[in-house]
Amino acid sequence: MRFRNLFIGITGLAVAAGSLPAMAQDSMYIPLLTYRTGPFAGSGIPIADGMHDYFKMLNERDGGIGGVKIVTEECETGYTAQKGVECYEATKGKGALVYNPWSTGITLALIPKATNEKIPVLSMAYGLSAAAMGKTFPWVFNPPLTYWDGLSVAVKYAGEKSGGMDKLKGKTIGYIYLDAPYGKEPIPLLDDLAKEFGFKVTKYPVPGDKMQDQSSQWLNVQQDNPDWIIMWGWGAMNPTAVKEAAKVGFPMDKFIGVWWAGSEDDARPAGAGSKGYLTLNFTAVGANYPALQDIVKHVFDKGNSSVKDKSKIGESNYNKGVYNSMLMAEAIRAAQKITGKKVITPQDMRLGLEALDISAARLKEIGLEGFAAPVKVTCDDHSGAHAVYVQQWDGAKWVKASDWISPMKDKVRPLLEKDAADYTGKNAPWPARSEACPKS
Amino acid sequence: MLYREAGQFKTTYAEDMAVFPIRQDRIGIAVILLVAYVGVPLFASSFALTSVLIPMLVLTLAAIGLNILTGYAGLISLGTGAFMGVGAYACFKLTTAFPEVNVLVWILASGFFAAAVGVVFGLPSLRIKGLYLAVATLAAQFFLQWCFVRIGWLTNYSSSGSIEAARRELFGIQITGPGASDVARYLCVLTLLVFLTWIASNIVHGRIGRKWMMVRDMDIAAELMGVRLLPTKLLAFAVSSYFCGVAGAMLLFFHYGSMESIAFNIDLSFQILFMIIIGGLGSLIGSYFGAAFIAALPIVIKFAPQLVGLELHSAHVDQATVMIVGALIIFFLIVEPHGLARLWQIGKQKLRVWPFPY
């Protein structure tokens, strides 16, 4: 008797939940796990807008991909793995083609689930580095490069600027990072590289709830006085770190952020102090590309974009959102070509992602010439370890500060293999890959 | 009319003291258990099971745990989230160290680790009460969370710092880890919850529970009547933390499958505290009501507009959820400060005399 009301409610709910709206047959459904709330919203909003607008543009301009419209739906995660899992559970039944978790924590939670339920996960340059081992993780893709690749580029850049990798010996590299799966991911490689090149590593973890108060970390930085600082930050952590670095007078041209610390809003708040700040990047900045102009024309000008201000189109994080959607769109095209179907399934999507090959010519075709380096994913390498460049903040905008730099693939690959084996050991019994590699 | 106990005579003391003295209540419980065990697995969708029922039932257990401490023994705790974390990390360590033992055994055993930690942080409760004790348990929250992040051994030195539920079976059916069916996980959660609720009910209705309530109502009087305060309070901490620890392990193994230390933060502690305040302090049924309210309502609000075909921006829904839940909490506390359990009691009383109220 006592529980009766409760269960009437629950059964009613269960019935209601059973009748989820069915998706139309002539469209493809992609849930977008985004965050427009919480401490990471500053980074999350432009990305969500970019992802959205590219698909909207394709729908408007070309009538979708291969004549099939893309239906997107946002699900708010607030960057937390818990809500991310809820979003995954709520949307997977609607025929989700692919998941973009946009958080390393969510990626880690989804890898086993999605592998089991055979839905691909596209964690573009984030997530589990070892997921690049396509033979072990057939359902996870992390092009264009992994965190470990990125870290190796940062160290390489520091070495080159110091006058050669051997000059790093005896130097100190500080590593300031978000104390979450995301920031911890690169540490094993950093320790390895430190041993190999003889530099010292000092680590400054920033807890997720203290992102906006980094005074103690930067006090330690002043004490240790490292020669270089590499930062793995996200959301509100980045502008705070840049401001603090400027305040303690750390030389900004010795301060390298990862690509997720390279948005305009990360550097701008520090004012003149942030001039010279460096970050890695794999997409160009600016809206001077035909595809982005099409977004302005077909989406923004018609009032369909969630972007309020036109100048936001072309900003660093917005462009990463566009790039992410472009990867998905190209994978869908590839899958349509392989299977000959118009409306593809998640299984087909996996084939498409694994056959992803975006050459410079193809980039030009889709109106993104020079926007990013060509990307090729293979069955063996789901990431590809593609080159990135270093950009520098000139006080008002990002300017390219280096050529495309290739990661130290020879150093990263063995570690990836080891970590993949480690992962499968910890998550035993990990299902062996049953999907055949496409013939190349 | 239907809910009337006329003609039900109690001829023994045991009958008079029963937890469900009225026949209709016993029938009601049987019907609910039948629905929960047969109806829900047969008819509920995967979404309802995984996103609504499983988290709700797990958090109910945590709410029962906190209710034992706060509602029955009168000791405020803000460390519930951390105690749940102790259970989750203990269970993770135990299952990875001894994979051959059944995972259910380890889930139940992990509660003892949480209980041990709870007793340590419960020690100040002899000297301090109320807000001061809340601060002491807050220290437990921060200290334990620091441990989860900093002690690599707890996560088996995972590079990402997260813990994962391994694949484990019961009677040849996979119940934890990726690939475990929703129904199997639901039934495990339900069974553990029913079993532990039964234990809790027996504790709070017996000698120990009465001692806790004496301490809660007036500790000096209780002491004068021969209740030894320290063992009683520490037992409350131990039992409460045990329940919270088991709930934490269940949250990891049956719900999320993979968790970071941040999941066991102060927000979780507050969430559980709201559950027992909304549900009703010192009431087991209140823990169920409170958990249903706080855990399930946001999910329902979040996904209800989609079910009726309304297109709302997900970020707006998220913001609206926070506001609606906040407003409802205030509304309920104004209307009935003793929680939903009290409303239920009043309703039952009215039903007993219906249709001839006096």
Side-chain angles (χ1 to χ4, degrees):
Chain A
M1 210 53 193
R2 288 175 168 218
F3 300 78
R4 189 170 288 164
N5 275 4
L6 182 68
F7 271 87
I8 289 172
I10 289 167
T11 28
L13 195 81
V15 172
S19 58
L20 287 167
M23 298 312 296
Q25 274 308 298
D26 52 350
S27 65
M28 288 183 276
Y29 173 69
I30 297 179
L32 302 176
L33 273 56
T34 56
Y35 35 100
R36 293 172 184 274
T37 64
F40 300 94
S43 303
I45 291 170
I47 285 172
D49 290 340
M51 286 203 291
H52 243 277
D53 288 356
Y54 187 73
F55 280 131
K56 273 187 193 160
M57 186 271 284
L58 288 182
N59 281 346
E60 282 282 322
R61 191 189 65 184
D62 310 338
I65 301 169
V68 186
K69 289 227 170 174
I70 305 292
V71 176
T72 56
E73 181 188 30
E74 279 193 33
C75 188
E76 176 71 29
T77 67
Y79 195 76
T80 63
Q82 276 60 37
K83 281 194 190 165
V85 170
E86 273 164 25
C87 282
Y88 172 80
E89 299 286 351
T91 51
K92 72 176 182 198
K94 300 188 199 171
L97 275 191
V98 57
Y99 278 93
N100 309 276
W102 280 108
S103 141
T104 297
I106 301 177
T107 314
L108 291 172
L110 291 193
I111 285 173
K113 280 177 192 281
T115 300
N116 201 63
E117 277 148 15
K118 303 208 177 301
I119 306 174
V121 172
L122 173 62
S123 54
M124 179 190 84
Y126 57 86
L128 182 73
S129 294
M133 308 302 297
K135 296 255 166 67
T136 312
F137 298 96
W139 293 91
V140 192
F141 297 84
N142 51 356
L145 79 169
T146 66
Y147 280 146
W148 291 349
D149 295 317
L151 183 81
S152 73
V153 172
V155 173
K156 215 170 160 179
Y157 182 82
E160 273 168 24
K161 287 282 155 183
S162 316
M165 293 309 279
D166 51 321
K167 294 283 190 314
L168 282 178
K169 203 173 174 77
K171 291 237 163 80
T172 306
I173 296 185
Y175 180 62
I176 183 159
Y177 62 101
L178 180 66
D179 203 355
Y182 157 59
K184 286 184 194 167
E185 185 78 35
I187 291 177
L189 180 71
L190 187 62
D191 288 339
D192 273 22
L193 291 179
K195 254 181 253 152
E196 169 138 16
F197 294 110
F199 59 84
K200 204 175 135 228
V201 176
T202 50
K203 290 173 198 151
Y204 312 100
V206 178
D209 49 356
K210 300 214 171 49
M211 289 192 300
Q212 274 141 310
D213 174 23
Q214 299 175 16
S215 39
S216 71
Q217 282 87 357
W218 287 95
L219 205 66
N220 290 341
V221 169
Q222 274 176 299
Q223 227 164 34
D224 301 342
N225 197 19
D227 300 284
W228 287 83
I229 286 189
I230 298 174
M231 171 162 79
W232 241 249
W234 190 226
M237 174 177 164
N238 296 333
T240 315
V242 174
K243 266 190 274 184
E244 288 282 349
K247 208 163 81 186
V248 303
F250 190 83
M252 293 313 268
D253 57 352
K254 296 256 158 72
F255 185 17
I256 313 174
V258 69
W259 41 81
W260 302 123
S263 93
E264 285 77 1
D265 294 329
D266 295 336
R268 208 180 280 136
S274 58
K275 202 172 160 190
Y277 169 56
L278 303 162
T279 75
L280 307 176
N281 206 347
F282 54 85
T283 55
V285 182
N288 212 358
Y289 297 90
L292 287 165
Q293 286 310 312
D294 281 346
I295 289 180
V296 172
K297 191 172 135 202
H298 292 282
V299 186
F300 182 79
D301 286 349
K302 288 183 183 163
N304 285 331
S305 173
S306 40
V307 178
K308 297 279 178 302
D309 184 356
K310 197 167 162 182
S311 69
K312 293 275 173 200
I313 295 178
E315 283 202 342
S316 180
N317 273 345
Y318 182 91
N319 282 5
K320 289 205 181 63
V322 169
Y323 182 74
N324 192 46
S325 283
M326 187 273 285
L327 290 180
M328 284 190 276
E330 290 309 299
I332 291 172
R333 270 185 237 278
Q336 283 172 332
K337 217 168 112 191
I338 294 168
T339 60
K341 289 193 268 185
K342 273 190 146 183
V343 180
I344 60 164
T345 63
Q347 283 79 4
D348 304 333
M349 184 70 183
R350 198 197 70 78
L351 293 175
L353 280 164
E354 203 154 70
L356 203 61
D357 185 3
I358 308 172
S359 61
R362 178 65 195 149
L363 277 172
K364 191 175 176 184
E365 249 171 64
I366 50 183
L368 291 170
E369 190 185 11
F371 182 78
V375 179
K376 186 167 165 53
V377 173
T378 61
C379 179
D380 189 46
D381 191 345
H382 275 190
S383 169
H386 297 94
V388 291
Y389 69 93
V390 178
Q391 59 179 11
Q392 189 161 33
W393 183 252
D394 72 351
K397 61 177 192 307
W398 292 109
V399 286
K400 214 168 158 180
S402 83
D403 218 354
W404 293 89
I405 305 174
S406 290
M408 303 182 206
K409 205 170 173 180
D410 53 323
K411 301 273 186 315
V412 176
R413 186 74 185 182
L415 215 60
L416 288 173
E417 279 165 13
K418 189 174 144 276
D419 203 51
D422 200 35
Y423 185 94
T424 52
K426 273 185 195 163
N427 290 279
W430 186 255
R433 182 180 167 123
S434 56
E435 294 79 11
C437 278
K439 285 169 203 85
S440 50
Chain B
M1 207 100 111
L2 290 171
Y3 190 67
R4 189 166 303 161
E5 58 206 290
Q8 297 178 30
F9 301 109
K10 297 179 179 73
T11 50
T12 62
Y13 285 119
E15 272 179 36
D16 202 36
M17 289 190 299
V19 176
F20 300 109
I22 303 169
R23 192 193 297 129
Q24 285 91 332
D25 277 356
R26 290 195 290 272
I27 296 169
I29 280 288
V31 169
I32 286 160
L33 284 177
L34 197 72
V35 169
Y37 270 102
V38 183
V40 172
L42 281 181
F43 299 111
S45 67
S46 149
F47 170 76
L49 281 177
T50 54
S51 299
V52 183
L53 286 172
I54 292 177
M56 193 189 88
L57 294 180
V58 172
L59 291 173
T60 303
L61 187 64
I64 290 176
L66 184 62
N67 222 333
I68 286 174
L69 189 66
T70 307
Y72 286 96
L75 303 163
I76 298 176
S77 166
L78 290 177
T80 322
F83 295 138
M84 288 173 77
V86 172
Y89 278 83
C91 198
F92 169 75
K93 284 302 288 183
L94 287 167
T95 48
T96 47
F98 308 99
E100 62 282 354
V101 181
N102 193 295
V103 67
L104 288 183
V105 174
W106 287 140
I107 286 179
L108 288 170
S110 60
F112 291 111
F113 290 84
V117 174
V119 165
V120 173
F121 285 99
L123 278 174
S125 67
L126 186 68
R127 287 175 175 272
I128 51 178
K129 286 191 283 200
L131 272 178
Y132 296 95
L133 183 62
V135 171
T137 52
L138 199 61
Q141 170 72 45
F142 289 123
F143 175 72
L144 290 171
Q145 227 187 316
W146 180 87
C147 291
F148 300 152
V149 178
R150 292 277 158 254
I151 303 179
W153 178 78
L154 285 175
T155 58
N156 285 345
Y157 304 100
S158 140
S159 58
S160 60
S162 62
I163 48 175
E164 277 115 21
R167 288 159 211 259
R168 294 288 182 268
E169 293 181 345
L170 179 72
F171 307 131
I173 300 164
Q174 198 192 336
I175 54 168
T176 65
S181 79
D182 308 335
V183 173
R185 286 188 291 144
Y186 166 77
L187 287 177
C188 284
V189 170
L190 185 67
T191 308
L192 283 170
L193 178 66
V194 169
F195 171 68
L196 288 168
T197 308
W198 177 68
I199 301 249
S201 162
N202 276 304
I203 293 176
V204 298
H205 285 101
R207 184 175 53 90
I208 299 170
R210 284 199 299 278
K211 274 208 245 173
W212 287 340
M213 286 184 264
M214 283 165 80
V215 171
R216 172 191 68 191
D217 293 339
M218 199 176 196
D219 53 354
I220 294 176
E223 202 173 7
L224 286 173
M225 290 174 80
V227 174
R228 286 161 64 213
L229 287 188
L230 185 64
T232 311
K233 284 182 172 178
L234 288 187
L235 188 64
F237 262 101
V239 174
S240 158
S241 306
Y242 177 85
F243 277 79
C244 292
V246 173
M250 280 163 70
L251 203 59
L252 169 66
F253 276 80
F254 294 122
H255 184 40
Y256 290 126
S258 155
M259 285 178 96
E260 304 162 42
S261 62
I262 197 121
F264 301 106
N265 64 1
I266 186 90
D267 291 348
L268 184 64
S269 301
F270 277 122
Q271 206 187 5
I272 311 284
L273 190 65
F274 290 151
M275 280 177 194
I276 63 165
I277 290 174
I278 293 284
L281 290 171
S283 150
L284 291 180
I285 181 78
S287 309
Y288 278 82
F289 286 149
F293 189 88
I294 301 281
L297 192 70
I299 298 169
V300 174
I301 295 177
K302 191 168 171 187
F303 295 110
Q306 291 173 20
L307 296 181
V308 294
L310 209 61
E311 278 296 325
L312 281 178
H313 207 285
S314 66
H316 298 164
V317 175
D318 218 55
Q319 310 277 27
T321 307
V322 177
M323 287 190 259
I324 293 173
V325 172
L328 279 175
I329 289 175
I330 294 171
F331 172 78
F332 268 108
L333 289 183
I334 292 171
V335 174
E336 184 48 74
H338 295 291
L340 297 170
R342 177 80 186 132
L343 277 183
W344 175 242
Q345 215 178 2
I346 294 169
K348 251 174 64 163
Q349 199 57 40
K350 290 225 162 94
L351 209 62
R352 253 162 139 168
V353 294
W354 184 83
F356 303 115
Y358 46 82

